[in-house]
Amino acid sequence: MDFNVKKLASDAGVFFTRAVQFTEEKLGQAEKTELDAHLENLLARADSTKNWTEKIFRQTEVLLQPNPSARIEEFLFEKLDRKLPSRTTNGELLGQYMLEAANDFGPGSPYGSTLIKVGESQRRLGGAEREFMHTSAINFLTPLRNFLEGDWRTISKERRLLQNRRLDLDACKARLKKAKAAEAKAAAMPDFQETRPRNYVLSASASALWSEEVDKAEHELRVAQTEFDRQAEVTRLLLEGISSTHVHHLRCLHEFVEAQATYYAQCHQYMQDLQKQLGRFPNTFGVNTNTGAPASPSAAATLPVIPTPGGTGANSLEPDTLKIEEVQPPATGTRKAKVLYDYDAADTSELSLLADELITVYTVPGMDPDWLIGERGNQKGKVPVTYLELLS
Protein backbone atom coordinates (compact mmCIF):
# COMPACT_ATOMS: atom_id res chain seq x y z
CA MET A 1 0.00 0.00 0.00
CA ASP A 2 1.38 3.38 -1.04
CA PHE A 3 1.44 5.90 1.81
CA ASN A 4 1.93 9.60 1.37
CA VAL A 5 4.36 10.16 4.23
CA LYS A 6 4.34 13.95 3.96
CA LYS A 7 0.54 14.14 4.04
CA LEU A 8 0.42 11.70 6.94
CA ALA A 9 2.93 13.77 8.90
CA SER A 10 1.07 16.97 8.08
CA ASP A 11 -2.28 15.52 9.24
CA ALA A 12 -0.66 14.29 12.43
CA GLY A 13 0.76 17.75 13.07
CA VAL A 14 -2.62 19.42 12.52
CA PHE A 15 -4.32 16.93 14.83
CA PHE A 16 -1.68 17.54 17.52
CA THR A 17 -2.06 21.31 17.20
CA ARG A 18 -5.83 21.07 17.57
CA ALA A 19 -5.50 18.78 20.57
CA VAL A 20 -3.12 21.22 22.27
CA GLN A 21 -5.41 24.17 21.54
CA PHE A 22 -8.49 22.31 22.82
CA THR A 23 -6.70 21.24 26.01
CA GLU A 24 -5.41 24.75 26.72
CA GLU A 25 -8.94 26.15 26.21
CA LYS A 26 -10.36 23.69 28.70
CA LEU A 27 -7.64 24.61 31.20
CA GLY A 28 -8.24 28.33 30.64
CA GLN A 29 -4.76 28.90 29.21
CA ALA A 30 -5.85 29.91 25.71
CA GLU A 31 -8.45 32.22 24.23
CA LYS A 32 -11.42 30.84 22.35
CA THR A 33 -13.21 32.42 19.43
CA GLU A 34 -16.90 32.64 20.26
CA LEU A 35 -19.57 32.06 17.62
CA ASP A 36 -22.11 34.80 16.98
CA ALA A 37 -25.38 34.67 18.94
CA HIS A 38 -27.50 33.79 15.89
CA LEU A 39 -25.37 30.76 15.08
CA GLU A 40 -25.37 29.66 18.72
CA ASN A 41 -29.20 29.82 18.78
CA LEU A 42 -29.37 27.78 15.58
CA LEU A 43 -27.07 25.15 17.09
CA ALA A 44 -29.18 24.91 20.25
CA ARG A 45 -32.37 24.62 18.20
CA ALA A 46 -30.85 21.88 16.05
CA ASP A 47 -29.76 19.90 19.13
CA SER A 48 -33.26 20.19 20.60
CA THR A 49 -34.83 19.08 17.31
CA LYS A 50 -32.56 16.07 17.11
CA ASN A 51 -33.14 14.98 20.71
CA TRP A 52 -36.95 15.25 20.60
CA THR A 53 -37.21 13.73 17.13
CA GLU A 54 -35.22 10.75 18.36
CA LYS A 55 -37.46 10.30 21.41
CA ILE A 56 -40.68 10.65 19.40
CA PHE A 57 -39.36 8.23 16.78
CA ARG A 58 -38.42 5.58 19.36
CA GLN A 59 -41.70 5.85 21.26
CA THR A 60 -43.76 5.72 18.05
CA GLU A 61 -41.95 2.50 17.19
CA VAL A 62 -42.95 1.12 20.60
CA LEU A 63 -46.56 2.22 20.01
CA LEU A 64 -46.78 0.55 16.62
CA GLN A 65 -44.84 -2.55 17.65
CA PRO A 66 -44.80 -3.20 21.42
CA ASN A 67 -42.85 -6.46 20.98
CA PRO A 68 -39.09 -5.71 21.41
CA SER A 69 -38.07 -8.90 19.59
CA ALA A 70 -40.20 -7.96 16.60
CA ARG A 71 -38.65 -4.47 16.53
CA ILE A 72 -35.15 -5.95 16.56
CA GLU A 73 -36.11 -8.30 13.73
CA GLU A 74 -37.47 -5.40 11.67
CA PHE A 75 -34.29 -3.43 12.34
CA LEU A 76 -32.06 -6.30 11.16
CA PHE A 77 -34.08 -6.86 8.00
CA GLU A 78 -33.89 -3.14 7.26
CA LYS A 79 -30.11 -3.00 7.74
CA LEU A 80 -29.65 -6.11 5.59
CA ASP A 81 -31.84 -4.49 2.92
CA ARG A 82 -34.17 -7.47 2.87
CA LYS A 83 -37.96 -7.55 2.72
CA LEU A 84 -39.60 -8.17 6.08
CA PRO A 85 -41.85 -11.26 5.99
CA SER A 86 -45.54 -10.68 6.61
CA ARG A 87 -46.38 -10.96 10.31
CA THR A 88 -49.83 -11.87 11.66
CA THR A 89 -51.21 -9.31 14.09
CA ASN A 90 -52.50 -10.37 17.51
CA GLY A 91 -56.07 -9.58 16.49
CA GLU A 92 -55.81 -11.72 13.36
CA LEU A 93 -54.29 -14.58 15.36
CA LEU A 94 -57.08 -14.39 17.95
CA GLY A 95 -59.69 -14.39 15.21
CA GLN A 96 -58.08 -17.43 13.61
CA TYR A 97 -58.15 -19.34 16.90
CA MET A 98 -61.83 -18.44 17.44
CA LEU A 99 -62.79 -19.62 13.95
CA GLU A 100 -60.91 -22.90 14.43
CA ALA A 101 -62.60 -23.37 17.80
CA ALA A 102 -66.01 -22.72 16.22
CA ASN A 103 -65.39 -25.44 13.65
CA ASP A 104 -64.41 -27.81 16.45
CA PHE A 105 -67.42 -27.02 18.67
CA GLY A 106 -69.84 -26.93 15.77
CA PRO A 107 -70.76 -23.83 13.75
CA GLY A 108 -74.46 -24.52 14.32
CA SER A 109 -74.24 -24.39 18.11
CA PRO A 110 -74.91 -21.10 19.93
CA TYR A 111 -71.31 -20.93 21.18
CA GLY A 112 -69.86 -21.88 17.80
CA SER A 113 -71.92 -19.37 15.84
CA THR A 114 -70.99 -16.61 18.29
CA LEU A 115 -67.30 -17.55 18.04
CA ILE A 116 -67.55 -17.18 14.27
CA LYS A 117 -69.02 -13.70 14.53
CA VAL A 118 -66.49 -12.55 17.14
CA GLY A 119 -63.61 -14.22 15.30
CA GLU A 120 -64.47 -12.46 12.05
CA SER A 121 -64.60 -9.13 13.89
CA GLN A 122 -61.22 -9.80 15.50
CA ARG A 123 -59.73 -10.56 12.09
CA ARG A 124 -61.09 -7.29 10.74
CA LEU A 125 -59.65 -5.45 13.74
CA GLY A 126 -56.29 -7.09 13.10
CA GLY A 127 -56.41 -6.09 9.46
CA ALA A 128 -57.19 -2.49 10.41
CA GLU A 129 -54.26 -2.55 12.83
CA ARG A 130 -51.94 -3.84 10.11
CA GLU A 131 -53.04 -1.06 7.74
CA PHE A 132 -52.55 1.56 10.48
CA MET A 133 -49.04 0.31 11.24
CA HIS A 134 -48.11 0.29 7.54
CA THR A 135 -49.49 3.78 6.89
CA SER A 136 -47.88 5.27 9.99
CA ALA A 137 -44.52 3.71 9.19
CA ILE A 138 -44.50 5.26 5.72
CA ASN A 139 -46.01 8.66 6.47
CA PHE A 140 -44.52 9.35 9.90
CA LEU A 141 -41.68 7.06 10.94
CA THR A 142 -39.84 7.13 7.62
CA PRO A 143 -39.51 10.96 7.46
CA LEU A 144 -38.26 11.06 11.06
CA ARG A 145 -35.73 8.32 10.31
CA ASN A 146 -34.58 10.09 7.14
CA PHE A 147 -33.91 13.23 9.16
CA LEU A 148 -31.92 11.41 11.84
CA GLU A 149 -29.92 9.29 9.40
CA GLY A 150 -29.58 11.85 6.62
CA ASP A 151 -29.92 15.55 7.33
CA TRP A 152 -28.72 15.32 10.91
CA ARG A 153 -25.59 13.38 9.94
CA THR A 154 -24.76 16.05 7.39
CA ILE A 155 -25.28 18.78 9.99
CA SER A 156 -23.13 16.91 12.52
CA LYS A 157 -20.34 16.49 9.98
CA GLU A 158 -20.32 20.20 9.12
CA ARG A 159 -20.43 21.14 12.82
CA ARG A 160 -17.36 19.01 13.51
CA LEU A 161 -15.63 20.64 10.57
CA LEU A 162 -16.56 24.09 11.92
CA GLN A 163 -15.12 23.12 15.31
CA ASN A 164 -11.85 22.09 13.64
CA ARG A 165 -11.71 25.35 11.69
CA ARG A 166 -12.21 27.30 14.89
CA LEU A 167 -9.41 25.40 16.63
CA ASP A 168 -7.11 26.09 13.65
CA LEU A 169 -8.04 29.78 13.77
CA ASP A 170 -7.35 30.08 17.48
CA ALA A 171 -4.08 28.18 17.12
CA CYS A 172 -3.01 30.64 14.40
CA LYS A 173 -3.94 33.57 16.66
CA ALA A 174 -1.84 32.10 19.47
CA ARG A 175 1.10 31.49 17.09
CA LEU A 176 0.96 35.08 15.79
CA LYS A 177 0.80 36.44 19.31
CA LYS A 178 3.89 34.49 20.34
CA ALA A 179 5.78 35.49 17.18
CA LYS A 180 5.08 39.20 17.78
CA ALA A 181 6.19 38.92 21.39
CA ALA A 182 9.44 37.22 20.34
CA GLU A 183 10.02 39.83 17.61
CA ALA A 184 9.64 42.68 20.09
CA LYS A 185 12.03 40.99 22.50
CA ALA A 186 14.62 40.36 19.78
CA ALA A 187 14.45 43.98 18.59
CA ALA A 188 15.37 45.20 22.07
CA MET A 189 18.53 43.04 22.20
CA PRO A 190 21.79 43.33 20.13
CA ASP A 191 22.20 40.92 17.27
CA PHE A 192 25.58 39.65 18.58
CA GLN A 193 28.15 40.49 21.19
CA GLU A 194 31.36 42.43 20.36
CA THR A 195 33.42 39.80 22.27
CA ARG A 196 32.68 37.23 19.59
CA PRO A 197 35.33 36.61 16.89
CA ARG A 198 35.22 39.00 13.98
CA ASN A 199 34.78 36.13 11.46
CA TYR A 200 31.50 35.18 13.17
CA VAL A 201 28.85 36.14 10.60
CA LEU A 202 25.07 35.84 11.11
CA SER A 203 23.04 35.10 8.01
CA ALA A 204 20.26 37.25 9.40
CA SER A 205 19.55 38.99 12.62
CA ALA A 206 17.19 37.44 15.17
CA SER A 207 14.83 40.36 14.70
CA ALA A 208 14.67 39.71 10.96
CA LEU A 209 14.04 36.03 11.55
CA TRP A 210 11.15 36.75 13.90
CA SER A 211 9.81 39.33 11.46
CA GLU A 212 9.58 36.64 8.81
CA GLU A 213 7.86 34.37 11.35
CA VAL A 214 5.31 37.11 12.06
CA ASP A 215 4.59 37.52 8.35
CA LYS A 216 4.12 33.79 7.98
CA ALA A 217 1.82 33.62 11.02
CA GLU A 218 -0.26 36.52 9.71
CA HIS A 219 -0.66 34.78 6.37
CA GLU A 220 -1.74 31.56 8.06
CA LEU A 221 -4.18 33.52 10.22
CA ARG A 222 -5.79 35.12 7.16
CA VAL A 223 -6.18 31.72 5.52
CA ALA A 224 -7.62 30.18 8.71
CA GLN A 225 -10.03 33.11 9.14
CA THR A 226 -11.26 32.71 5.56
CA GLU A 227 -11.81 28.98 5.97
CA PHE A 228 -13.56 29.50 9.30
CA ASP A 229 -15.91 32.15 7.87
CA ARG A 230 -16.73 29.95 4.88
CA GLN A 231 -17.46 26.93 7.09
CA ALA A 232 -19.54 29.04 9.48
CA GLU A 233 -21.70 30.18 6.55
CA VAL A 234 -22.17 26.60 5.31
CA THR A 235 -23.14 25.43 8.78
CA ARG A 236 -25.51 28.35 9.25
CA LEU A 237 -27.36 27.56 6.00
CA LEU A 238 -27.77 23.93 7.03
CA LEU A 239 -29.03 24.88 10.49
CA GLU A 240 -31.55 27.33 9.06
CA GLY A 241 -32.96 24.39 7.09
CA ILE A 242 -34.25 23.02 10.42
CA SER A 243 -37.28 25.30 9.95
CA SER A 244 -38.14 23.44 6.75
CA THR A 245 -37.70 20.19 8.63
CA HIS A 246 -40.23 21.33 11.22
CA VAL A 247 -42.74 22.16 8.48
CA HIS A 248 -42.24 18.75 6.89
CA HIS A 249 -42.59 16.93 10.21
CA LEU A 250 -45.74 18.94 10.97
CA ARG A 251 -47.32 17.67 7.76
CA CYS A 252 -46.28 14.12 8.63
CA LEU A 253 -47.76 14.53 12.10
CA HIS A 254 -51.13 15.48 10.59
CA GLU A 255 -51.00 12.37 8.42
CA PHE A 256 -50.21 10.24 11.47
CA VAL A 257 -53.22 11.66 13.33
CA GLU A 258 -55.44 11.02 10.31
CA ALA A 259 -54.26 7.41 10.15
CA GLN A 260 -54.93 7.00 13.87
CA ALA A 261 -58.40 8.52 13.58
CA THR A 262 -59.25 6.22 10.66
CA TYR A 263 -57.99 3.19 12.56
CA TYR A 264 -59.97 3.91 15.72
CA ALA A 265 -63.09 4.76 13.70
CA GLN A 266 -62.84 1.40 11.95
CA CYS A 267 -62.41 -0.38 15.27
CA HIS A 268 -65.42 1.42 16.72
CA GLN A 269 -67.56 0.55 13.71
CA TYR A 270 -66.52 -3.12 13.77
CA MET A 271 -67.37 -3.42 17.46
CA GLN A 272 -70.72 -1.69 17.01
CA ASP A 273 -71.59 -4.08 14.19
CA LEU A 274 -70.56 -7.02 16.36
CA GLN A 275 -72.71 -5.82 19.25
CA LYS A 276 -75.71 -5.48 16.97
CA GLN A 277 -75.17 -9.00 15.64
CA LEU A 278 -74.88 -10.45 19.13
CA GLY A 279 -77.84 -8.41 20.39
CA ARG A 280 -80.14 -10.02 17.81
CA PHE A 281 -79.50 -13.51 19.17
CA PRO A 282 -80.69 -13.35 22.79
CA ASN A 283 -81.26 -17.12 22.98
CA THR A 284 -77.51 -17.53 22.77
CA PHE A 285 -77.29 -16.43 26.39
CA GLY A 286 -80.13 -18.63 27.61
CA VAL A 287 -79.85 -20.30 31.02
CA ASN A 288 -80.68 -23.91 31.76
CA THR A 289 -83.79 -23.69 33.94
CA ASN A 290 -83.95 -27.39 34.74
CA THR A 291 -81.13 -27.38 37.25
CA GLY A 292 -83.05 -25.44 39.85
CA ALA A 293 -80.09 -23.06 40.35
CA PRO A 294 -80.91 -19.35 40.26
CA ALA A 295 -79.85 -17.50 37.15
CA SER A 296 -77.21 -14.78 37.28
CA PRO A 297 -78.46 -11.33 38.36
CA SER A 298 -80.04 -9.43 35.49
CA ALA A 299 -82.14 -6.40 34.86
CA ALA A 300 -85.29 -8.54 35.09
CA ALA A 301 -84.61 -9.17 38.78
CA THR A 302 -84.61 -5.45 39.55
CA LEU A 303 -87.46 -4.32 37.32
CA PRO A 304 -91.17 -4.61 38.09
CA VAL A 305 -93.03 -7.48 36.49
CA ILE A 306 -96.52 -6.63 35.32
CA PRO A 307 -99.20 -9.32 35.43
CA THR A 308 -100.93 -10.32 32.22
CA PRO A 309 -104.57 -11.28 31.79
CA GLY A 310 -105.11 -15.01 32.11
CA GLY A 311 -101.60 -15.66 33.32
CA THR A 312 -101.11 -18.05 36.23
CA GLY A 313 -97.34 -18.19 36.51
CA ALA A 314 -94.10 -16.41 35.79
CA ASN A 315 -93.69 -18.28 32.52
CA SER A 316 -97.24 -18.03 31.29
CA LEU A 317 -96.20 -15.62 28.52
CA GLU A 318 -93.69 -16.97 26.02
CA PRO A 319 -91.41 -14.58 24.09
CA ASP A 320 -92.62 -15.91 20.76
CA THR A 321 -96.24 -15.11 21.63
CA LEU A 322 -95.50 -11.68 23.12
CA LYS A 323 -97.64 -9.01 21.50
CA ILE A 324 -96.02 -5.64 22.05
CA GLU A 325 -99.16 -3.66 21.31
CA GLU A 326 -101.01 -5.46 24.13
CA VAL A 327 -98.30 -4.93 26.77
CA GLN A 328 -99.11 -2.16 29.23
CA PRO A 329 -96.58 -0.50 31.56
CA PRO A 330 -97.02 -1.00 35.32
CA ALA A 331 -98.70 1.75 37.29
CA THR A 332 -95.59 2.25 39.43
CA GLY A 333 -92.01 1.03 39.47
CA THR A 334 -90.88 1.68 35.88
CA ARG A 335 -87.27 2.73 35.48
CA LYS A 336 -85.35 5.09 33.28
CA ALA A 337 -82.45 3.85 31.19
CA LYS A 338 -79.74 5.60 29.20
CA VAL A 339 -78.94 4.17 25.75
CA LEU A 340 -75.24 3.37 25.38
CA TYR A 341 -75.10 2.58 21.65
CA ASP A 342 -77.20 3.00 18.54
CA TYR A 343 -79.42 0.00 17.82
CA ASP A 344 -81.46 -0.75 14.70
CA ALA A 345 -84.63 -2.78 15.29
CA ALA A 346 -84.57 -6.19 13.60
CA ASP A 347 -88.38 -6.34 13.29
CA THR A 348 -91.55 -4.52 14.32
CA SER A 349 -91.47 -6.00 17.82
CA GLU A 350 -88.18 -4.19 18.62
CA LEU A 351 -87.52 -0.53 19.31
CA SER A 352 -84.68 1.30 17.53
CA LEU A 353 -82.35 3.21 19.85
CA LEU A 354 -80.09 6.24 19.60
CA ALA A 355 -77.02 6.60 21.80
CA ASP A 356 -77.38 8.85 24.89
CA GLU A 357 -81.17 9.08 24.75
CA LEU A 358 -83.34 8.26 27.81
CA ILE A 359 -86.17 5.73 27.60
CA THR A 360 -88.55 4.05 30.06
CA VAL A 361 -88.03 0.31 30.55
CA TYR A 362 -89.80 -2.55 32.33
CA THR A 363 -90.21 -6.29 31.95
CA VAL A 364 -93.06 -8.76 31.63
CA PRO A 365 -93.35 -12.37 32.76
CA GLY A 366 -91.72 -14.89 30.49
CA MET A 367 -89.42 -12.41 28.72
CA ASP A 368 -85.85 -13.38 28.08
CA PRO A 369 -83.75 -11.78 30.85
CA ASP A 370 -81.51 -10.14 28.21
CA TRP A 371 -84.42 -8.12 26.81
CA LEU A 372 -86.71 -5.43 28.22
CA ILE A 373 -89.73 -3.51 27.04
CA GLY A 374 -88.73 0.05 26.17
CA GLU A 375 -90.93 3.06 25.60
CA ARG A 376 -90.20 6.42 23.98
CA GLY A 377 -93.29 8.60 23.75
CA ASN A 378 -95.87 6.61 21.76
CA GLN A 379 -93.27 4.13 20.51
CA LYS A 380 -92.78 0.79 22.27
CA GLY A 381 -90.79 -2.35 21.64
CA LYS A 382 -88.21 -4.83 22.89
CA VAL A 383 -84.69 -3.54 23.57
CA PRO A 384 -81.48 -5.47 24.47
CA VAL A 385 -80.24 -4.97 28.04
CA THR A 386 -76.60 -4.79 26.89
CA TYR A 387 -77.33 -1.52 25.10
CA LEU A 388 -78.69 0.17 28.24
CA GLU A 389 -77.47 1.70 31.47
CA LEU A 390 -80.23 1.42 34.07
CA LEU A 391 -80.63 4.55 36.14
CA SER A 392 -81.75 4.61 39.77
Side-chain angles (χ1 to χ4, degrees):
M1 185 178 294
D2 184 18
F3 288 102
N4 190 330
V5 180
K6 290 184 178 181
K7 184 178 184 304
L8 185 63
S10 176
D11 292 342
V14 170
F15 176 79
F16 179 76
T17 301
R18 291 171 180 171
V20 171
Q21 178 65 27
F22 181 79
T23 303
E24 290 180 350
E25 289 177 358
K26 291 298 182 181
L27 297 176
Q29 299 175 356
E31 297 180 357
K32 176 182 177 181
T33 300
E34 299 293 341
L35 303 177
D36 62 87
H38 178 61
L39 187 55
E40 288 287 0
N41 291 335
L42 290 176
L43 289 171
R45 189 179 184 216
D47 288 333
S48 179
T49 300
K50 181 260 182 183
N51 293 334
W52 286 114
T53 300
E54 200 168 38
K55 290 181 180 180
I56 293 173
F57 174 79
R58 299 303 177 196
Q59 194 57 38
T60 305
E61 280 189 323
V62 174
L63 174 67
L64 297 179
Q65 181 51 265
N67 190 339
S69 300
R71 292 201 303 273
I72 294 176
E73 181 183 2
E74 293 174 359
F75 175 79
L76 293 177
F77 271 90
E78 179 184 350
K79 292 302 179 184
L80 295 175
D81 198 18
R82 298 178 58 184
K83 183 179 179 181
L84 182 69
S86 178
R87 181 183 291 110
T88 303
T89 63
N90 293 328
E92 291 173 322
L93 189 60
L94 176 59
Q96 178 183 343
Y97 289 163
M98 287 184 173
L99 293 176
E100 292 175 356
N103 291 330
D104 192 15
F105 298 148
S109 65
Y111 186 35
S113 62
T114 304
L115 278 174
I116 291 177
K117 298 179 186 302
V118 177
E120 289 293 343
S121 296
Q122 294 300 325
R123 291 181 65 177
R124 287 196 292 269
L125 290 173
E129 181 184 5
R130 179 196 299 276
E131 180 64 23
F132 167 62
M133 292 169 60
H134 178 70
T135 303
S136 299
I138 294 177
N139 296 337
F140 190 60
L141 280 183
T142 299
L144 297 185
R145 182 188 293 111
N146 291 340
F147 168 74
L148 293 173
E149 297 181 357
D151 295 347
W152 180 252
R153 288 186 178 180
T154 302
I155 292 174
S156 299
K157 177 182 177 182
E158 297 301 328
R159 286 180 65 178
R160 288 192 298 269
L161 190 56
L162 177 63
Q163 174 72 355
N164 291 336
R165 293 290 181 261
R166 187 196 61 77
L167 290 173
D168 293 341
L169 176 62
D170 290 337
C172 289
K173 289 180 179 179
R175 189 179 303 117
L176 176 60
K177 184 177 180 181
K178 292 178 181 179
K180 287 185 176 180
E183 180 187 25
K185 183 178 179 181
M189 297 176 61
D191 293 338
F192 57 87
Q193 296 179 2
E194 293 296 336
T195 56
R196 292 181 178 178
R198 294 294 179 182
N199 59 356
Y200 181 79
V201 180
L202 294 176
S203 61
S205 66
S207 179
L209 289 175
W210 281 114
S211 179
E212 293 179 2
E213 185 67 22
V214 168
D215 293 340
K216 180 180 177 182
E218 288 178 344
H219 173 71
E220 292 177 351
L221 178 60
R222 287 192 296 270
V223 174
Q225 184 68 57
T226 302
E227 293 180 351
F228 171 77
D229 293 339
R230 183 185 301 113
Q231 186 59 37
E233 181 65 16
V234 171
T235 306
R236 182 185 63 80
L237 292 175
L238 286 174
L239 294 175
E240 288 177 347
I242 292 292
S243 298
S244 300
T245 300
H246 285 186
V247 173
H248 180 52
H249 288 179
L250 174 62
R251 183 167 57 252
C252 297
L253 185 60
H254 278 279
E255 294 177 355
F256 174 65
V257 171
E258 288 295 329
Q260 242 182 342
T262 301
Y263 167 61
Y264 289 126
Q266 287 178 331
C267 293
H268 180 67
Q269 185 62 46
Y270 292 154
M271 295 311 300
Q272 277 195 324
D273 294 342
L274 178 60
Q275 283 185 320
K276 291 179 181 180
Q277 293 180 35
L278 297 181
R280 292 178 180 174
F281 296 90
N283 292 333
T284 303
F285 309 101
V287 181
N288 186 359
T289 58
N290 298 326
T291 60
S296 59
S298 65
T302 61
L303 290 172
V305 179
I306 60 174
T308 57
T312 59
N315 296 325
S316 61
L317 186 60
E318 296 297 328
D320 293 337
T321 62
L322 178 64
K323 297 182 179 180
I324 298 297
E325 61 274 6
E326 297 179 0
V327 175
Q328 298 297 325
T332 59
T334 58
R335 296 182 63 177
K336 290 292 185 180
K338 179 182 178 181
V339 179
L340 299 177
Y341 319 101
D342 293 345
Y343 177 74
D344 294 330
D347 51 49
T348 57
S349 66
E350 296 180 6
L351 179 67
S352 296
L353 303 175
L354 295 176
D356 297 329
E357 71 171 330
L358 294 177
I359 61 173
T360 302
V361 294
Y362 51 90
T363 187
V364 297
M367 279 195 67
D368 190 281
D370 294 300
W371 290 80
L372 299 171
I373 300 297
E375 288 189 2
R376 183 202 306 113
N378 296 328
Q379 296 178 327
K380 179 168 51 179
K382 295 189 299 182
V383 293
V385 177
T386 55
Y387 280 65
L388 303 175
E389 177 186 355
L390 296 177
L391 306 177
S392 58

